[in-house]
Amino acid sequence: MTLSERLGIRGAWPLIGVVHLEPLPGSPRWGGDLGAVRDAARRAAEAYKAGGLDALIIENYGDVPFTGGSVPAATVAAMAVLVEAVKAEFGPAVGVNVLRNDGVSALSVAAATGARFVRVNVLVGAMVTDQGLLEGDAWTVQRARRELAPGCRIWADVMVKHAVPVGAPRLEDLADDTYHRALADALILSGRATGAPSDPEDFRHVAQKVPDAPLIVGSGLTIETLATTMKVAHGAIVATSLKTAGRVDAEKVRRLVDHRDEVLATLRS
């Protein structure tokens, strides 16, 4: 199986942009105008497409403070509408992340929209977060996939950002469990927080332990770190470095994509 088949998206070293949704129904800061939320999401998707990114992941980023359990039904319904709007603008290569850790709702949105992949922040183990203790439930998530969206890929974080693991497990051991026991299709490694750089050594340790797992950068990628990162990972989720004054900047996206292509050409030569 090729990398594209395993990830559910095309691209030799895919760059995945993030559509950070404004507050949705059911969240504390919901403003009552889903049309405005949709317009902002489509503008972000348009900029990412103009810059040439390979895929997008759509998150209910504006819904802080997040729940540590299942999100309200209204949030799921709104995300399905917004994923369809983003697909209409960008194309079918989209994924879903329902924050903070609602993998079943993400798969429900994928079932309704045809999203290619979902991101699950805690699939294995337990993490102390600002939502309290989040515990992995791969049993429930995998059965939901089988019933709702059997073709959807599951990308799972290993020691997700904005969190501290319970029991001080080794990163590479948790990665091994996430891939081989929880059956994640790809592993995401991040820095401490949104926009914080990930550590290349983390990728090397995980690759030694789980050499067959696709490894995705979850935070902190910049055009300056891209070449080094491409030597240790298989793709990256990126957003913060591609924004100007809070909005996705198509020119920054294009420069990152062009540099990625240059590095790929060098690595292949």
Side-chain angles (χ1 to χ4, degrees), residues 19-38 41 58-64 66 71-83 96-99 109:
V19 177
H20 289 136
L21 297 175
E22 295 180 0
L24 303 181
S27 72
R29 298 187 299 172
W30 162 237
D33 187 352
L34 192 62
V37 178
R38 182 173 55 244
I58 299 137
E59 296 184 345
N60 55 323
Y61 186 80
D63 286 356
V64 292
F66 303 118
V71 299
T75 304
V76 181
M79 288 196 72
V81 169
L82 295 166
V83 169
V96 181
N97 185 17
V98 179
L99 298 166
V109 174

Side-chain angles (χ1 to χ4, degrees), residues 15 53 221-224 226 238 241-242 251-261:
L15 289 165
L53 249 63
L221 185 77
T222 67
I223 196 168
E224 292 79 17
L226 179 62
V238 57
S241 67
L242 301 180
E251 181 55 34
K252 286 185 176 180
V253 177
R254 171 54 61 191
R255 288 200 295 268
L256 184 70
V257 171
D258 287 346
H259 188 45
R260 186 273 312 272
D261 293 344

Side-chain angles (χ1 to χ4, degrees), residues 7-269:
L7 294 178
I9 57 174
R10 296 180 180 178
W13 205 90
L15 289 165
I16 303 99
V18 186
V19 177
H20 289 136
L21 297 175
E22 295 180 0
L24 303 181
S27 72
R29 298 187 299 172
W30 162 237
D33 187 352
L34 192 62
V37 178
R38 182 173 55 244
D39 290 345
R42 293 192 65 149
R43 284 194 299 269
E46 181 181 20
Y48 282 127
K49 183 177 181 179
L53 249 63
D54 302 289
L56 298 181
I57 186 166
I58 299 137
E59 296 184 345
N60 55 323
Y61 186 80
D63 286 356
V64 292
F66 303 118
T67 174
S70 299
V71 299
T75 304
V76 181
M79 288 196 72
V81 169
L82 295 166
V83 169
E84 285 290 355
V86 168
K87 285 180 63 182
E89 188 68 47
F90 183 84
V94 301
V96 181
N97 185 17
V98 179
L99 298 166
R100 178 68 154 102
N101 196 46
D102 195 349
V104 173
S105 288
L107 286 163
S108 299
V109 174
T113 63
R116 302 281 183 82
F117 63 97
V118 299
R119 180 178 183 175
V120 180
N121 286 168
V122 183
L123 188 63
V124 165
M127 303 289 289
V128 178
T129 74
D130 51 312
Q131 294 78 41
L133 183 66
L134 295 184
E135 297 182 65
D137 190 3
W139 191 96
T140 297
V141 171
Q142 289 292 357
R143 279 155 184 77
R145 170 164 64 172
R146 183 187 64 191
E147 295 171 3
L148 298 172
C152 187
R153 304 297 191 267
I154 294 174
W155 298 12
D157 286 87
V158 182
M159 295 191 184
V160 68
K161 57 192 175 183
H162 298 285
V164 178
V166 174
R170 293 199 312 162
L171 176 71
E172 54 267 41
D173 292 337
L174 197 58
D176 188 35
D177 283 346
T178 304
Y179 190 66
H180 287 123
R181 292 172 64 83
L183 306 181
D185 297 293
L187 305 179
I188 300 171
L189 304 179
S190 300
R192 181 194 61 79
T194 299
S198 53
D199 187 346
E201 285 302 311
D202 288 345
F203 286 87
R204 294 187 180 97
H205 290 316
V206 170
Q208 289 174 357
K209 183 74 172 185
V210 197
D212 52 337
L215 304 181
I216 304 297
V217 176
S219 69
L221 185 77
T222 67
I223 196 168
E224 292 79 17
T225 63
L226 179 62
T228 299
T229 304
M230 288 180 68
K231 296 177 182 178
V232 295
H234 301 100
I237 297 168
V238 57
T240 302
S241 67
L242 301 180
K243 292 184 176 183
T244 299
R247 288 195 175 189
V248 179
D249 185 327
E251 181 55 34
K252 286 185 176 180
V253 177
R254 171 54 61 191
R255 288 200 295 268
L256 184 70
V257 171
D258 287 346
H259 188 45
R260 186 273 312 272
D261 293 344
E262 293 169 358
V263 175
L264 273 177
T266 300
L267 293 174
R268 289 168 174 166
S269 64

